[in-house]
Amino acid sequence: MRPILMKGHERPLTYLKYNKDGDLLFSCAKDHTPTVWFADNGERLGTYRGHNGAVWCCDVSRDSMTLITGSADQTAKLWNVETGAQLFTFNFDSPARSVDFAVGDKLAVITTDPFMELNSAIHVKRIARDPADQGGESVLILKGPQGRINRAVWGPLNRTIISAGEDAIVRIWDTETGKLLKESDKETGHKKTITSLAKAADGSHFLTGSLDKSAKLWDARTLELIKTYVTERPVNAVTMSPLLDHVVLGGGQDASAVTTTDHRAGKFEAKFFDKILQEEIGGVKGHFGPINALAFNPDGKRYGFLLLQIHVS
């Protein structure tokens, strides 16, 4: 399949998200402007203007009507997907790093970075069906660990929240009580910052990528470590095929360490692994900077995760 180069962002990409139907691809970048594209041909449909800082993450509702974004400008915003209009702004005292809609789209989890005297935190917000009824108060606030939480997502049946970040620990929290239920074992878990986290299509397990040059597959209920995938580069992004037993890892050197445009030096390929056997089965080259974001099309039949442009961050 011939890759489609999608040009539009002026700064490095930070996150990619397909809608449920797989016909729209949303991209976030350090240029402040989330963008939506036709997934089939790479045509840019529009942008969402209003953030004043890098946009780190996004999610789209199941009906593809509402987009949520988290930004370094200390806000998370709700948008009308079709018109690009801002529907609501959640204000925080530190950058909003990660956002994720719950199943049913009635709740959203938003993480905020440590800043000044503030610890990292996990905020649960109620999402109103009518934007006119939307409020900014938190249903639940969880005080996070030392260091940044890079990703937090909903667990099975919205009963838990799964978080991971700079301290290399995966945590599972109870969404009713806010109690910490489980932590990953330091011996078998990651040894360096967890950069990314991706759930399986059925939500039963999830994948984490780390600067320790590995990715790990975990049970979403028990936090049992299922598989480990070892590579030769720091892992910045991970994704799983919803159709085949394939795991894809992307990464490369930190920008400060990149002194050449030779893709072989920075190891900027996307690597495919057999999900069960844990063996590398292929790779895709072509990028001239670290791969910061990956996403599979929900139908699993198209290599949609390659429809992106990555720059050195």
Side-chain angles (χ1 to χ4, degrees):
M1 175 180 288
R2 182 180 178 182
I4 301 174
L5 180 63
M6 299 161 69
K7 295 183 178 180
H9 287 292
E10 299 174 354
R11 297 288 310 282
L13 289 183
T14 56
Y15 197 75
L16 292 170
K17 179 71 179 184
Y18 279 100
N19 67 336
K20 177 182 175 291
D21 295 330
D23 57 339
L24 299 177
L25 177 63
F26 297 85
S27 59
C28 301
K30 293 182 178 180
D31 62 7
H32 309 181
T33 309
T35 300
V36 60
W37 317 76
F38 267 132
D40 286 340
N41 58 17
E43 178 186 349
R44 183 165 66 169
L45 287 174
T47 56
Y48 302 90
R49 299 187 180 275
H51 280 300
N52 296 311
V55 181
W56 297 120
C57 196
C58 71
D59 195 14
V60 60
S61 60
R62 188 177 180 86
D63 61 7
S64 300
M65 295 295 290
T66 306
L67 178 72
I68 185 171
T69 54
S71 172
D73 66 8
Q74 303 186 358
T75 70
K77 292 180 181 290
L78 296 173
W79 310 81
N80 182 299
V81 168
E82 185 177 2
T83 67
Q86 289 187 47
L87 302 178
F88 192 82
T89 298
F90 298 104
N91 292 291
F92 301 98
D93 295 320
S94 60
R97 178 68 51 171
S98 172
V99 296
D100 190 51
F101 278 125
V103 174
D105 301 323
K106 294 181 179 179
L107 296 169
V109 60
I110 304 169
T111 69
T112 52
D113 289 353
F115 186 71
M116 303 294 282
E117 301 298 321
L118 296 173
N119 268 34
S120 61
I122 300 171
H123 307 257
V124 176
K125 303 288 188 180
R126 198 174 303 282
I127 305 299
R129 182 177 297 274
D130 185 345
D133 299 329
Q134 183 64 53
E137 63 279 356
S138 294
V139 178
L140 180 69
I141 300 178
L142 306 175
K143 184 180 178 182
Q146 294 293 324
R148 191 172 68 211
I149 300 172
N150 285 325
R151 286 289 287 143
V153 299
W154 294 91
L157 302 176
N158 298 339
R159 291 177 178 170
T160 57
I161 292 171
I162 303 165
S163 68
E166 283 187 331
D167 67 356
I169 304 294
V170 181
R171 293 177 172 85
I172 296 182
W173 310 80
D174 187 296
T175 55
E176 289 293 327
T177 65
K179 181 182 177 181
L180 177 62
L181 299 177
K182 298 179 184 296
E183 288 187 342
S184 58
D185 183 76
K186 292 184 178 180
E187 293 298 318
T188 58
H190 287 293
K191 301 301 186 286
K192 293 184 179 181
T193 294
I194 297 173
T195 56
S196 51
L197 189 158
K199 290 190 296 185
D202 64 2
S204 64
H205 54 285
F206 64 94
L207 184 68
T208 55
S210 171
L211 297 183
D212 66 7
K213 302 180 182 180
S214 76
K216 292 179 182 289
L217 193 68
W218 310 82
D219 185 284
R221 294 181 185 274
T222 66
L223 201 52
E224 176 189 357
L225 178 62
I226 303 171
K227 301 287 183 181
T228 297
Y229 312 93
V230 179
T231 184
E232 69 235 22
R233 84 273 341 258
V235 179
N236 299 332
V238 296
T239 190
M240 288 179 280
S241 169
L243 190 64
L244 303 172
D245 286 329
H246 291 167
V247 165
V248 187
L249 314 181
Q253 290 174 284
D254 290 336
S256 59
V258 177
T259 57
T260 175
T261 56
D262 186 348
H263 64 84
R264 292 171 297 179
K267 297 183 171 63
F268 301 140
E269 306 101 310
K271 290 290 187 181
F272 288 71
F273 284 78
D274 186 290
K275 190 176 185 179
I276 308 302
L277 302 178
Q278 305 171 84
E279 297 174 351
E280 184 178 323
I281 56 175
V284 180
K285 301 179 181 180
H287 292 297
F288 292 89
I291 295 177
N292 297 326
L294 291 169
F296 247 110
N297 192 292
D299 65 11
K301 299 177 181 179
R302 289 171 285 175
Y303 297 109
F305 56 87
L306 295 177
L307 301 179
L308 50 94
Q309 182 181 17
I310 305 293
H311 304 275
V312 177
S313 56

